[in-house]
Amino acid sequence: MNNEVRVRFAPSPTGYLHVGGLRTALYNFLFAKRNNGKFILRIEDTDRNRYVEGAVEKLIDSLKWVDLEYDEGPNKDGGFGPYFQSERLDIYQKHIDKLIEEKKAYYCFCTPERLKNLREEQQRQKLPQAKYDKKCFHLSEEEIKQKLDSGLPKVVRLNVQPNQTVAFDDIVRGHVEFNTDNIDDQILIKSDGFPTYHWANVVDDHLMKISHVIRGEEWLSSTPKHVILYNYLGWELPKFAHLPLLLNPDKSKLSKRQGDVAVEDYKDKGYLKEALVNFVALLGWNYGDDKEFYLLDEMIEKFSLERVNKAGAVFNVEKLNWLNGLHIREKSDEELLPLFKEELAKSEYATNNYDDDFLLSIISAMKERVTFVKDFIYNCKYFYEAPTTYDEKIVKKRWKDDSADLLKQFLEAVKQMKTNDKEEWEKILHEIVEKNEIGFGRLIHPVRLAVSGVGVGPGAYELLQIIGKEEVIKRIEKALAEIPKLKEQL
RNA sequence: GGCCCCAUCGUCUAACGGUUAGGACCUCGCCCUUUCACGGCGGUAAUAGGGGUUCAAAUCCCCUUGGGGUCACCA
């Protein structure tokens, strides 16, 4: 027996990677890397009714996007494959036969109708819990053989012994106990021959030598069934760690109804993978200090299951936004450039060919004041095109009686400019301010308005430099013609 | 409803018997500043309630309340 850490992320391919799934995958990944173990991806596709075209690919793409590369899994055999449960049917069958032989599991031929009636009857009697009545467990050998031969639809159920205590120790929750009276004879093999989650999961975790089962809390109440199975099979129990749930703002389990839940939604909205991962990691885990900015490698160094919280955590987008801005600011301009170009390609300016120096100068000017990479476009459209309107509030507030005259002086000075250096912009601005003996804002505000159409943005010298001499001249001439008229109307 | 899990500012969390209950997001104020931001400083804001145990309880135990999960031939 070796004690290599092997963990798995075992999603069912329902179409996309849920952010809750991302957190589960992340903790598995961090735990594996922290302990020099293996992170395995296993696809739990045992429900053929829920088959979704392309879901596995999307799942893998999302995992790849956030840099959670698996060590073993689809197209990456580590000797424990296949990693699709739908390709392991014979394995589940082989092990179930042994269980049936030992009466630890049994065939059940009850029809869905009978099951439905049974449940309804139990509800009518206000029984504390609806459970299968074990009818088929009491079938004689002959009856079973006869029904089997006749090809009746059948399932295989777990034979749960009455009134026993099933206990296990959970790394995040501690000691947990259940009484088997509250546990149903779970179906292990469905009538279509496919295993249920419970059966496939236990068999695979054992065969794939999974050392730690790290999954969402929604699995806690079915864990005793799994424990019973491990015991029946004589297999060693893995360590369990049930993670707190991710919650909607109203504290219910995070759902699509109340916002975006797919990783790709966040990607599309322009979140950085680093920010999403950082954020989701902190939903249920912290190292014990005040650090909140994390890159994947730093998390690997510090992660431990012992410091995972028990209580569910509300997925709070505002903090995610803050982290996104933080991660943008932590990246170099050069790192940001390709991300910026991606957004540009999706924008109305896609067909324009901007050179890197221009884009880099926008990044440098705007980096401190954005939340998203796409803000490099939409928060400062004046870098890409001349303003078509002027912010009325700013016109009202900043356009004074002498503004037109000052702008004219500025225009003349601009026309004389020899370079497009920041220093020269600064110089001519200051000369006009001194000559007219006015405050700096008196000139700067009208200039900003004329050139950008708005009252906010980066520093004036940078602004002018990025827009450039020729364009500044055009914009000021236009503003001179339009703003005074606008001012009159207000 | 049965079973199980959980419970510190609005939100994410720290404090693993002894702290003026700390940090972050949000929000508000001030500073920086040509604007908006960034940044800095400061404010508002929490141990769900009740019993125990203890010299001492947010922390341990019990009850109540509240929230959540789960009770499928879905995972």
Side-chain angles (χ1 to χ4, degrees), chain A residues 65-78:
Chain A
W65 179 59
V66 292
D67 295 326
L68 300 187
E69 297 267 4
Y70 49 87
D71 301 304
E72 289 178 27
N75 299 318
K76 209 164 178 185
D77 200 331

Side-chain angles (χ1 to χ4, degrees), chain A residues 101-152:
Chain A
E101 213 168 290
E102 297 170 359
K103 301 265 189 222
K104 290 167 177 166
Y106 59 94
Y107 288 112
C108 174
F109 304 93
C110 291
T111 62
E113 290 71 40
R114 181 177 123 75
L115 261 22
K116 186 165 165 266
N117 292 337
L118 185 65
R119 236 179 320 235
E120 281 167 2
E121 178 57 27
Q122 287 171 336
Q123 261 170 16
R124 224 182 339 261
Q125 293 179 28
K126 295 245 192 295
L127 252 43
Q129 199 205 352
K131 271 173 64 181
Y132 179 60
D133 60 1
K134 270 182 155 33
K135 178 174 185 255
C136 291
F137 179 68
H138 300 295
L139 258 29
S140 70
E141 294 290 334
E142 295 82 70
E143 283 173 310
I144 294 171
K145 188 174 185 312
Q146 183 249 316
K147 283 179 192 289
L148 244 28
D149 289 346
S150 73
L152 269 178

Side-chain angles (χ1 to χ4, degrees), chain A residues 54-117:
Chain A
V56 174
E57 290 71 22
K58 283 171 92 171
L59 202 63
I60 292 175
D61 283 349
S62 287
L63 282 175
K64 189 169 271 177
W65 179 59
V66 292
D67 295 326
L68 300 187
E69 297 267 4
Y70 49 87
D71 301 304
E72 289 178 27
N75 299 318
K76 209 164 178 185
D77 200 331
F80 295 88
Y83 296 89
F84 287 87
Q85 290 186 328
S86 60
E87 296 171 14
R88 301 170 62 83
L89 264 31
D90 53 327
I91 299 174
Y92 307 127
Q93 191 58 50
K94 191 179 101 196
H95 288 90
I96 203 74
D97 289 342
K98 194 177 144 231
L99 233 43
I100 293 170
E101 213 168 290
E102 297 170 359
K103 301 265 189 222
K104 290 167 177 166
Y106 59 94
Y107 288 112
C108 174
F109 304 93
C110 291
T111 62
E113 290 71 40
R114 181 177 123 75
L115 261 22
K116 186 165 165 266
N117 292 337

Side-chain angles (χ1 to χ4, degrees), chain A residues 39 46-47 97 148 151 255 297 328 347 349 395 404 415 451 458 475:
Chain A
F39 173 59
T46 55
D47 184 0
D97 289 342
L148 244 28
S255 67
D297 285 347
I328 286 177
S347 78
Y349 307 114
V395 172
K415 286 177 175 168
V451 157
R475 291 187 189 185

Side-chain angles (χ1 to χ4, degrees), chain A residues 409-429 431 461 464-465 468-470 472-473 476:
Chain A
Q409 293 181 39
F410 177 61
L411 184 59
E412 288 317 306
V414 173
K415 286 177 175 168
Q416 306 302 315
M417 283 178 77
K418 293 184 179 58
T419 73
N420 189 39
D421 295 344
K422 211 167 145 181
E423 291 71 27
E424 193 169 359
W425 284 106
E426 185 173 352
K427 189 172 143 256
I428 64 167
L429 248 12
E431 280 172 0
Y461 317 137
L464 292 164
Q465 184 192 27
K469 177 179 165 181
E470 297 310 318
V472 167
I473 292 172
I476 287 182

